[in-house]
Amino acid sequence: MKMADSRIFQPFRLRPAIKDYIWGGTRLRDEYGKKSSLERLAESWELSCHPDGMSVIDSGICEGMTLGEYIERYPAQAGSVCRDMPFFPVLVKLIDARNDLSVQVHPDDEYALEHENSYGKTEMWYVIDCEPGAELVYGFKERLTREQFREAIDNGTLMELVNRVPVKKGDTFFIPSGTLHAIGRGMLIAEIQQNSNITYRVYDYGRLGADGKPRELHTEKAIEVTCLAPPPEQPEQSIHESETGAAVRELAQCRYFRVTEHDINGSTQISTGDTSFGHILVIEGSAVLSGHDFSLDIKKGDSIFLPAGCGMSSISGRCRIIHTAVPEDTKQL
Ligand code: ZN
């Protein structure tokens, strides 16, 4: 039997799928190096195996292959925890909200698998940058009944009942499925979420879509899945110095993803074991990512896939990255 070329298992760069939703801006092109002929770059899907927009491998021996094709061909490189999952578990995006996003909710796995043949969506946001006064919608101010929720949607008074939260650079928000939410204008966000594109929209500021018609609302489904109690407090985040000197902050840990921020000034190491792939999103600065048989220059806006089992990689330079992996003890579905 022929041995697989070991270069297949080296970390590689990803090129995102770009979405031009009506509320998007141009910062992903102007400041984060995203290339697209589209006018608005609302979202770049940085780590995506979703059929609505796949990442494409942009370096190394598998260049040109979609990430979905790569995982199908080399499933062990997604990691052992992903082996029995019906779909690749995680989607990572950059979002440039020049205008307000619609107020929306996502279903949980149970509902989405039954009604949409998809995962539900729990997500987290990391505010990379924002304008002064930027705020987002996060759940309700007070507990509602289903009837009150329906009435507020029908009468256009929903925005009086939602919980608005001011944001600043570096803030993170954990959004469990069922939480009503909206990203507000003037924010650039990294979103780490379950691999799902199921969104139930309940309010869209009376805007018209690209076709000149109001975008569809999904009131009935939203009422079925929305949690009507105010959201819990965001968990405390701990920062610790890694042994090699980077400041590491735990941003989110749930059954679907574990997300950490690494503020690197010098050199640090990232370990990628057999249980999960790793994903690095560079949000500031530049560095060199290297291992015993590869080296990649990385800079602000770049996305790197670390195949499961690729071992120790070192990052040398001055940069801030977001690292995502699937937790070992995941009991997904
Ligand atoms: Zn959402």
Side-chain angles (χ1 to χ4, degrees):
M1 199 173 91
K2 202 164 151 247
M3 286 285 286
D5 187 327
S6 65
R7 288 176 296 173
I8 287 163
F9 311 125
Q10 291 170 354
F12 49 77
R13 202 181 289 284
L14 291 170
R15 187 168 74 237
I18 305 283
K19 302 289 176 184
D20 67 342
Y21 305 131
I22 56 172
W23 41 261
T26 57
R27 296 185 66 184
L28 297 180
R29 178 191 290 121
D30 302 341
E31 300 170 40
Y32 291 83
K34 304 300 165 190
K35 294 191 178 67
S36 169
S37 57
L38 297 169
E39 193 185 319
R40 282 183 303 259
L41 279 66
E43 297 185 348
S44 62
W45 291 20
E46 296 289 328
L47 170 76
S48 170
C49 287
H50 198 286
D52 293 347
M54 290 224 187
S55 315
V56 176
I57 297 177
D58 205 23
S59 73
I61 194 172
C62 296
E63 188 168 345
M65 206 184 275
T66 66
L67 186 60
E69 286 165 355
Y70 176 85
I71 299 295
E72 207 173 288
R73 207 177 288 188
Y74 309 110
Q77 272 46 62
S80 55
V81 291
C82 302
R83 201 168 32 213
D84 299 325
M85 296 180 182
F87 310 104
F88 186 79
V90 184
L91 178 54
V92 177
K93 297 176 180 177
L94 285 169
I95 299 178
D96 174 17
R98 173 175 287 178
N99 287 304
D100 294 319
L101 274 72
S102 62
V103 182
Q104 54 183 251
V105 65
H106 310 295
D108 64 12
D109 285 339
E110 198 183 345
Y111 186 94
L113 285 165
E114 189 184 332
H115 295 87
E116 312 278 5
N117 187 35
S118 164
Y119 282 144
K121 203 204 281 196
T122 282
E123 60 193 28
M124 73 143 284
W125 299 332
Y126 176 102
V127 179
I128 298 175
D129 197 15
C130 64
E131 288 170 6
E135 52 179 28
L136 48 82
V137 170
Y138 183 57
F140 297 105
K141 281 189 278 202
E142 284 170 23
R143 179 180 278 279
L144 302 185
T145 62
R146 282 194 174 192
E147 293 66 39
Q148 286 170 318
F149 185 32
R150 182 190 298 278
E151 262 176 43
I153 296 170
D154 292 346
N155 306 338
T157 54
L158 183 64
M159 297 308 279
E160 295 165 20
L161 305 177
V162 298
N163 178 35
R164 291 168 189 267
V165 185
V167 301
K168 59 182 192 311
K169 201 172 156 169
D171 280 353
T172 62
F173 295 87
F174 185 69
I175 324 280
S177 57
T179 309
L180 192 78
H181 63 274
I183 295 174
R185 72 181 67 189
M187 268 180 241
L188 202 132
I189 278 185
E191 181 175 274
I192 292 89
Q193 54 162 94
Q194 284 184 272
N195 181 16
S196 166
N197 200 20
I198 307 295
T199 293
Y200 302 145
R201 200 182 285 140
V202 292
Y203 181 69
D204 200 26
Y205 307 91
R207 287 184 294 209
L208 303 179
D211 60 0
K213 298 188 184 121
R215 296 195 297 172
E216 191 188 351
L217 300 182
H218 316 89
T219 307
E220 291 311 317
K221 286 180 170 177
I223 289 172
E224 281 182 0
V225 305
T226 301
C227 170
L228 299 167
E233 294 281 309
Q234 293 291 324
E236 285 286 311
Q237 293 175 342
S238 61
I239 300 186
H240 62 270
E241 296 289 319
S242 77
E243 283 154 31
T244 48
V248 181
R249 181 162 62 124
E250 297 270 350
L251 302 183
Q253 161 106 282
C254 65
R255 62 197 289 212
Y256 311 109
F257 43 75
R258 174 170 182 247
V259 185
T260 46
E261 174 202 53
H262 302 245
D263 186 2
I264 301 160
N265 187 2
S267 188
T268 192
Q269 298 213 306
I270 300 264
S271 158
T272 312
D274 293 331
T275 56
S276 171
F277 68 88
H279 176 256
I280 290 174
L281 178 64
V282 186
I283 56 172
E284 264 177 43
S286 60
V288 176
L289 174 75
S290 59
H292 73 276
D293 57 356
F294 79 97
S295 172
L296 280 173
D297 291 329
I298 58 173
K299 63 174 191 317
K300 177 177 164 179
D302 283 355
S303 257
I304 308 295
F305 186 87
L306 304 159
C310 74
M312 224 29 123
S313 309
S314 74
I315 302 177
S316 301
R318 175 75 193 94
C319 66
R320 190 184 299 270
I321 63 163
I322 295 175
H323 179 263
T324 302
V326 184
E328 242 170 86
D329 55 357
T330 187
K331 291 272 188 312
Q332 186 150 346
L333 306 172

